[in-house]
Amino acid sequence: MSVTLIAGILPLSPRAESRGLRLALLGCSLVCVLMWMAVSVRSRRAGGVDLDKPARPARRPSRSLPVLLAVLLPLASGASLVQAVGPDGEQGRWVSEVYAAGGSVYEVPIERTVSEPRPTGVNVNEVDEYAADVIVTLPFDDGSRRTTVRGARTLGVPGEGNTVTVMYAPGRPGLGVRYHDSGFFDSGAALLWIWAVVFFAAAFGSGLFGRDEVHSARRFRGDVHGVAALVLCLGVLLLLPGAFFQTSTWAGWLLALASACTPWLALTWVIKRVQET
């Protein structure tokens, strides 16, 4: 399960290989959960074994399980939020088609500009950013082609010798080529914030979980863990619209935020029920 969550929070591209890896890890996690449920039910039915040996003093539960839980919960929430990072709408559909066709992001030189460069209002290290339509030559599988990239952005006035980042599929010329522009919500900036929150919560959250409460909740109970499993399933269902459809940016993030809350709600439910009994 830890490996599954780590793979979920990594910025993997939406290629078939990445989806296959995540599905395989998810399947392994589900098998482990079913084995845990089966072992818990079987041990409860079997009962204890009486041995003619002196009773050993009870040891205090290990601290490792609460620490592991403090790490996995932020990872689960972070993995939910990462699913909302990426292009949306028509741009998202086009990016998915490019990746499915074996395309990627490339840095190519500008041959010449075909429109008047216009400032975008962005300044990086006291250098203004400009946008313009430029002509580049791209190597496709059936030969090189000159094409126009609309709205390409560069630091400083674009000209011959500058480079621009584009996305296209060499094997599918019909998909066209576009300037690769990443806004905050679909770029590494959002990922950095998510990772920062995850690491902060993992570092300072280990003291929130008591040893006795966590260890008393280890054995599966249908009336306790069953409800928690339904809450976690709801979190997964909230991510499905973004996985199979191109939702708007705000809808995707709202669904991801709601999904990120479900691991904490499930744990709160389990701890509360265990304390009551």
Side-chain angles (χ1 to χ4, degrees):
M1 184 175 294
S2 303
V3 177
T4 305
L5 294 178
I6 292 173
I9 203 172
L10 290 177
L12 300 177
S13 61
R15 296 179 182 270
E17 298 84 357
S18 301
R19 292 194 297 269
L21 172 63
R22 286 174 170 168
L23 288 175
L25 293 174
L26 178 61
C28 291
S29 299
L30 291 176
V31 170
C32 292
V33 170
L34 293 175
M35 291 176 62
W36 164 64
M37 295 169 59
V39 170
S40 297
V41 173
R42 182 177 178 82
S43 62
R44 186 183 299 113
R45 291 177 178 176
V49 178
D50 295 329
L51 299 176
D52 188 15
K53 291 184 178 181
R56 295 181 179 180
R59 295 185 300 176
R60 191 175 184 186
S62 171
R63 184 62 183 164
S64 60
L65 186 58
V67 171
L68 179 62
L69 188 63
V71 173
L72 293 182
L73 275 177
L75 275 179
S77 296
S80 297
L81 294 175
V82 166
Q83 308 312 308
V85 178
D88 303 295
E90 188 275 333
Q91 176 70 8
R93 287 190 291 271
W94 182 82
V95 170
S96 298
E97 290 181 6
V98 170
Y99 276 120
S104 188
V105 178
Y106 305 90
E107 191 83 12
V108 296
I110 296 174
E111 294 187 3
R112 62 186 180 90
T113 60
V114 293
S115 69
E116 184 68 25
R118 57 190 183 279
T120 63
V122 176
N123 184 282
V124 180
N125 296 328
E126 299 184 355
V127 179
D128 292 329
E129 181 187 69
Y130 286 82
D133 299 340
V134 299
I135 291 180
V136 298
T137 298
L138 302 177
F140 289 91
D141 291 349
D142 58 355
S144 298
R145 299 186 182 187
R146 298 182 69 192
T147 184
T148 301
V149 181
R150 306 291 181 184
R153 299 188 179 189
T154 60
L155 289 179
V157 179
E160 185 178 351
N162 295 124
T163 59
V164 64
T165 305
V166 299
M167 173 178 281
Y168 75 103
R172 290 277 304 279
L175 290 176
V177 57
R178 298 185 184 183
Y179 170 70
H180 181 66
D181 182 23
S182 296
F184 176 83
F185 289 111
D186 50 44
S187 69
L191 291 175
L192 289 177
W193 277 102
I194 293 173
W195 293 336
V197 172
V198 168
F199 291 141
F200 178 85
F204 295 95
S206 58
L208 299 177
F209 309 113
R211 303 185 190 184
D212 297 331
E213 290 83 358
V214 172
H215 282 268
S216 61
R218 294 179 63 182
R219 178 169 293 183
F220 176 80
R221 289 174 47 187
D223 60 331
V224 176
H225 299 89
V227 175
L230 292 177
V231 174
L232 294 176
C233 289
L234 174 62
V236 175
L237 292 175
L238 290 173
L239 296 176
L240 293 182
F244 293 97
F245 306 99
Q246 296 298 330
T247 59
S248 66
T249 300
W250 293 111
W253 277 97
L254 287 175
L255 292 173
L257 286 171
S259 176
C261 294
T262 55
W264 302 90
L265 293 175
L267 178 66
T268 301
W269 165 262
V270 171
I271 297 297
K272 181 179 181 181
R273 289 299 308 271
V274 170
Q275 290 176 343
E276 290 177 353
T277 57

